[in-house]
Amino acid sequence: MLKKVILLFIVGLIIYGCATVPVTGRRQLSLVSNSEILPLSFDQYAQVLKENKISDNKEWTAMVKNAGKRIQVAAERFMRESGVANQLDGYAWDFNLIESETVNAWCMPGGKVAFYTGIMPICKTEEGVAVVMGHEVAHAIANHGRERMSQGLVTNLGLSTVGAAMGSNPTLTQQIFMQSVGVGSQLGMLKFSRTHESEADKIGLIFMAMAGYNPREAPEFWKRMEAKAGGQRPPEFLSTHPSPDTRIQDLNAQMPEALKYYRK
Ligand SMILES: [Zn+2]
């Protein structure tokens, strides 16, 4: 009897604790709410800005801020038109370029974006920046960080809320958060799964097209990334499935859909 009750409770929690990813409609585990994860995100972002040098390259900075603003507007419009604008409640968008040779970029929950100068020569143009921006913002909009944090809490601390996890083990909770959102921590960084990467590519392609950037630039960017990165495996890019070839094929397959959003 007790076993049955516990099982029912767990099943109920999993059904209750589910959300739907915009665009793809995939159901995902969501035991963490935005109101719980956004304060962690904003704190962490402020910390990153404090500990790193912001680039003084005016041209690159303008590219990141312009592409960021346009992708933000596109994402907001998309969510509005899909009737789920409330999923962006509490967002406080920010786009910064950090001085570092690391080939990386990320968007934390709540729209906190960082690009590293190391990725800029591969982006080359604002359109190239928009490829990466669309992809990273898509990870945030699809709540991949929240989903991974939910999984991380279940795995490491048992079924738990952020509040309870913070109460029992704040350090571990903080580290699970950092791994989950793709920033990295002393524990290293979790790779985004193939599902998450494909989803971010697909959603990102639509966002960049809606923002007025030619989505045909996306496969071109990934070709440059593959050529440039070579043996060096950057944290967010190429470190994960799908392989660049599969990724380019998938992007090309999604191109007709994305081009419907591309108005020029
Ligand atoms: Zn990604």
Side-chain angles (χ1 to χ4, degrees):
M1 180 62 192
L2 184 62
K3 260 190 189 157
K4 231 181 187 172
V5 170
I6 291 173
L7 187 69
L8 270 176
F9 174 73
I10 291 174
V11 169
L13 192 61
I14 288 170
I15 293 170
Y16 171 77
C18 258
T20 304
V21 177
V23 184
T24 64
R26 183 174 62 84
R27 301 283 290 166
Q28 64 183 173
L29 184 65
S30 178
L31 301 173
V32 183
S33 68
N34 269 354
S35 62
E36 288 172 313
I37 207 170
L38 295 192
L40 293 179
S41 182
F42 296 168
D43 274 2
Q44 192 53 43
Y45 191 72
Q47 194 69 23
V48 169
L49 294 188
K50 209 164 75 187
E51 287 169 0
N52 290 278
K53 184 183 182 296
I54 302 296
S55 168
D56 50 22
N57 185 316
K58 287 203 172 65
E59 192 192 343
W60 283 355
T61 302
M63 281 160 63
V64 169
K65 291 202 186 278
N66 287 341
K69 188 71 207 170
R70 283 170 63 175
I71 297 282
Q72 172 196 338
V73 169
E76 286 171 343
R77 200 181 97 214
F78 185 91
M79 298 299 272
R80 217 169 36 241
E81 289 172 359
S82 309
V84 288
N86 62 326
Q87 288 190 21
L88 298 182
D89 285 352
Y91 266 58
W93 298 89
D94 230 331
F95 309 97
N96 282 289
L97 179 64
I98 288 167
E99 186 67 49
S100 164
E101 284 173 14
T102 314
V103 177
N104 205 16
W106 41 255
C107 175
M108 283 205 275
K112 298 294 190 190
V113 175
F115 270 61
Y116 294 82
T117 46
I119 202 170
M120 296 305 284
I122 306 175
C123 291
K124 274 173 65 176
T125 60
E126 191 176 311
E127 208 130 63
V129 171
V131 175
V132 179
M133 188 69 74
H135 176 95
E136 296 307 326
V137 165
H139 274 309
I141 298 270
N143 293 310
H144 290 161
R146 219 172 63 180
E147 182 177 5
R148 300 202 308 171
M149 187 161 185
S150 301
Q151 289 161 347
L153 289 176
V154 170
T155 310
N156 292 286
L157 294 161
L159 283 173
S160 184
T161 62
V162 177
M166 270 296 192
S168 71
N169 196 334
T171 311
L172 183 58
T173 307
Q174 185 77 20
Q175 288 184 343
I176 293 170
F177 164 76
M178 284 167 69
Q179 282 194 313
S180 304
V181 300
V183 179
S185 74
Q186 278 113 328
L187 295 176
M189 202 189 71
L190 289 172
K191 289 171 180 171
F192 278 112
S193 69
R194 178 193 278 266
T195 305
H196 286 169
E197 282 307 306
S198 306
E199 227 165 49
D201 278 348
K202 188 173 187 181
I203 300 170
L205 200 64
I206 289 174
F207 286 171
M208 81 175 288
M210 286 178 79
Y213 297 107
N214 191 341
R216 293 185 193 87
E217 171 64 10
E220 297 308 312
F221 166 82
W222 288 107
K223 281 179 206 161
R224 289 199 298 276
M225 175 64 103
E226 171 65 354
K228 268 273 179 39
Q232 193 211 342
R233 300 269 123 178
E236 145 74 315
F237 299 103
L238 295 182
S239 57
T240 44
H241 336 280
S243 77
D245 288 346
T246 311
R247 167 169 249 155
I248 289 163
Q249 271 175 20
D250 288 349
L251 284 167
N252 284 329
Q254 285 148 10
M255 204 54 72
E257 171 74 8
L259 285 169
K260 289 186 209 157
Y261 292 88
Y262 179 50
R263 297 175 303 188
K264 219 166 194 175

